[in-house]
Amino acid sequence: MERLDSKDLTIVGGGITGLTAAYIAAKAGSKVRVLEGSDSFGGLIKTFDVGETPVECFYHHFFLHDKELGWLIKELGIEDKIISRKTSMGVFTQGKVYSFSTIKDLLAFKPLNLIDKLRFGLSTVYLGKFADWRKSEEKTALDWFKKWTGKNVVDSIWKPLLKVKFGKFHNQVPLAWMIGRLKQRFESREAGSEKLLYIDGSYFVLLDQLLLKLKELGVELLANSKVGELVYDSNKLIGVRVGDKIHYSEQTLFTIPNNITQKIIENQLKLPEIEYFGAVCVILELTQSLSPVYWLNVADDNFPFGGIIEHTRFISPENYGNKHIVYLSKYFALDEPIATFSESEIETLMLDKLPAIFPDFKKENLLKTHVFRSFSAATVCDLNFSTRVPNVKTSIENLFVCNMAHVYPDERSVNNSIRIAANACHSMGISNGNVPEGNCLSGKIGFN
């Protein structure tokens, strides 16, 4: 067994949480190593090329209030790459596409009567602006909406949207999660319209610069390095084994999902049980636009996708050789059939249903299709989920965990990954430097 030089910190997982933690720790003077099990770094911000322009495998944008991400962008010297634009949102329900971006759109939304619209508007403002998520973990979002918005609003909007997002778990989603989601959306609005941000050149630009900075700081970046087991001295963790090599370190931080970490730790420690959703994105390169809407929520569980995101309604098609880029997205439980479908089966499933929403869609206008799938894209949040968020500092000396569960009750995002990485460094006794704390709700649970 080969013994490698010891580091101050080994980070398991080369997604944005792990890489940000490595950056913060290295800037604070720590000698850091990052072990990534796959052949490349980036996790859910990985990209592919359309022509010569990178675009995300899983759709991404960010918000005006994302201070943590703004900090990292500034640290990497890519502030001039930020694109800021107003965007449009829509809802497909009862066989029709409705614009759903402004109060005027709400008033024109035919599935709801005037009283429904008033109750919908007041309830979303309350949740997005005033509600306390800490008092909302023991009630489901659906039960709350049924009480305060009525059956028609629930059946027309909230129930189908939650079913698309959470599938069989839709009736267990705590109101706390909905509060986090709506607070995020309200903070992104400017003068009544939603304004979103993007990096010119995609997250590839951020990832490329971050990896460059890490190398300059002396961080050891090792891909294709799947951890097999932990190495102990009594109950003190002193290293991890990768193949026939042992990587020693003073501290080890796992940023990968709980269930994978548990398999590596085995019986030394019992982590809280957390279920994960998978996600699939079918990305279309088209010769024509599908819709004037950037983000279309499909509030109808008869469709195999829950979101239709026309990326080129945000970023000009000129950036992609005048091709129109559309994401068809779906979250799925790991026991659903789509989890085992081949890429061609997923493509067929999605494309066959698209004309039901867009009758003008023709397959001859489809230039190319890409299919990307993750089996740990989001945590399944149910009642009192905070009790299952693990403590970052575990009972095993020198072993720390920080992952997607720590984002709760907020929604998974790059900004929230940066927040929890900064908090994890603080929990390990490492200065998190000048990372600003925005008004996101992530990083509130499990940090000492």
Side-chain angles (χ1 to χ4, degrees):
M1 192 70 67
E2 185 178 354
R3 297 169 60 94
L4 302 176
D5 291 340
S6 181
K7 299 286 187 182
D8 298 316
L9 174 64
T10 290
I11 296 173
V12 180
I16 191 64
T17 300
L19 295 177
T20 302
Y23 178 72
I24 293 169
K27 279 198 69 178
S30 297
K31 294 179 180 178
V32 184
R33 168 193 299 119
V34 180
L35 302 175
E36 166 57 36
S38 72
D39 60 1
S40 60
F41 294 89
L44 291 173
I45 66 168
K46 289 179 182 177
T47 61
F48 70 104
D49 289 342
V50 175
E52 297 181 356
T53 305
V55 67
E56 289 81 3
C57 301
F58 299 92
Y59 52 88
H60 280 284
H61 56 234
F62 56 105
F63 300 99
L64 295 168
H65 61 277
D66 283 348
K67 290 186 178 180
E68 289 87 343
L69 178 54
W71 163 82
L72 183 58
I73 286 172
K74 185 175 181 180
E75 288 280 306
L76 301 177
I78 56 174
E79 306 102 301
D80 61 328
K81 297 290 186 180
I82 295 178
I83 298 171
S84 173
R85 292 191 181 130
K86 290 182 179 179
T87 57
S88 58
M89 180 180 290
V91 176
F92 175 82
T93 185
Q94 298 180 16
K96 185 177 178 181
V97 173
Y98 294 90
S99 182
F100 215 75
S101 299
T102 66
I103 293 177
K104 184 178 178 181
D105 292 333
L106 174 60
L107 293 174
F109 189 63
K110 291 184 178 180
L112 304 183
N113 62 39
L114 185 59
I115 298 300
D116 291 334
K117 293 169 185 176
L118 181 62
R119 295 175 76 177
F120 173 83
L122 291 175
S123 63
T124 53
V125 169
Y126 170 73
L127 294 179
K129 292 285 189 180
F130 305 108
D132 185 351
W133 71 268
R134 296 172 186 83
K135 299 177 181 178
S136 306
E137 280 204 285
E138 296 181 356
K139 62 189 78 170
T140 71
L142 273 184
D143 285 343
W144 190 91
F145 282 128
K146 286 175 185 176
K147 179 178 180 180
W148 294 105
T149 70
K151 186 177 185 300
N152 193 32
V153 175
V154 169
D155 290 344
S156 298
I157 298 177
W158 293 121
K159 187 175 181 179
L161 287 179
L162 284 168
K163 287 183 76 173
V164 163
K165 173 78 173 180
F166 289 98
K168 63 182 181 181
F169 303 103
H170 72 279
N171 58 357
Q172 301 175 39
V173 179
L175 183 61
W177 180 88
M178 184 61 70
I179 290 170
R181 182 68 166 163
L182 288 174
K183 281 186 181 294
Q184 188 182 74
R185 307 306 299 198
F186 267 91
E187 293 293 337
S188 68
R189 302 189 78 81
E190 188 177 82
S193 298
E194 186 167 55
K195 203 168 189 179
L196 300 177
L197 308 179
Y198 189 71
I199 297 176
D200 187 14
S202 80
Y203 271 121
F204 171 84
V205 175
L206 182 143
L207 180 60
D208 185 58
Q209 287 300 306
L210 180 54
L211 292 173
L212 181 62
K213 288 282 188 181
L214 290 173
K215 291 174 183 176
E216 290 174 356
L217 289 167
V219 175
E220 185 179 14
L221 297 166
L222 300 175
N224 295 308
S225 297
K226 188 174 293 185
V227 173
E229 62 183 7
L230 306 185
V231 180
Y232 300 94
D233 181 358
S234 297
N235 190 47
K236 180 179 180 181
L237 181 65
I238 60 173
V240 297
R241 180 182 64 79
V242 176
D244 61 353
K245 299 177 181 178
I246 297 178
H247 298 272
Y248 290 93
S249 59
E250 295 297 319
Q251 294 180 314
T252 300
L253 172 66
F254 276 74
T255 64
I256 59 180
N258 254 34
N259 54 352
I260 301 175
T261 301
Q262 185 66 71
K263 290 178 182 178
I264 298 170
I265 296 174
E266 295 182 323
N267 297 323
Q268 296 291 328
L269 171 68
K270 180 65 174 175
L271 293 173
E273 291 187 7
I274 293 174
E275 292 190 71
Y276 288 83
F277 272 120
V280 61
C281 278
V282 175
I283 304 169
L284 313 179
E285 296 183 30
L286 298 165
T287 61
Q288 65 176 25
S289 171
L290 282 184
S291 162
V293 178
Y294 164 59
W295 190 291
L296 182 65
N297 290 301
V298 181
D300 186 333
D301 57 4
N302 292 311
F303 286 82
F305 38 74
I308 302 174
I309 300 94
E310 186 154 342
H311 178 67
T312 40
R313 285 296 177 183
F314 186 12
I315 305 301
S316 172
E318 294 177 359
N319 291 276
Y320 309 100
N322 292 316
K323 298 172 184 176
H324 298 267
I325 309 300
V326 176
Y327 290 80
L328 307 178
S329 71
K330 176 180 173 60
Y331 286 94
F332 59 87
L334 300 186
D335 59 357
E336 288 185 50
I338 196 171
T340 59
F341 280 7
S342 67
E343 290 188 3
S344 61
E345 288 174 323
I346 292 172
E347 178 182 333
T348 299
L349 177 70
M350 299 284 192
L351 292 178
D352 283 353
K353 294 290 286 186
L354 203 55
I357 299 178
F358 304 110
D360 293 336
F361 170 72
K362 297 180 177 62
K363 286 191 177 181
E364 54 262 36
N365 294 321
L366 178 61
L367 299 172
K368 200 169 184 180
T369 305
H370 312 267
V371 180
F372 298 99
R373 182 167 39 181
S374 168
F375 293 95
S376 54
T379 55
V380 177
C381 301
D382 52 10
L383 295 182
N384 296 304
F385 183 78
S386 64
T387 62
R388 285 192 294 287
V389 177
N391 287 321
V392 172
K393 186 176 182 178
T394 73
S395 59
I396 297 175
E397 188 175 352
N398 298 335
L399 175 61
F400 300 82
V401 295
C402 178
N403 55 47
M404 199 180 292
H406 292 93
V407 167
Y408 175 84
D410 219 324
E411 176 77 340
R412 169 185 52 80
S413 71
V414 173
N415 184 79
N416 290 339
S417 296
I418 296 168
R419 175 76 267 143
I420 65 174
N423 288 7
C425 286
H426 178 75
S427 294
M428 292 187 291
I430 298 169
S431 170
N432 64 6
N434 59 343
V435 181
E437 186 165 0
N439 56 7
C440 67
L441 297 182
S442 61
K444 307 296 184 185
I445 308 165
F447 299 91
N448 301 317

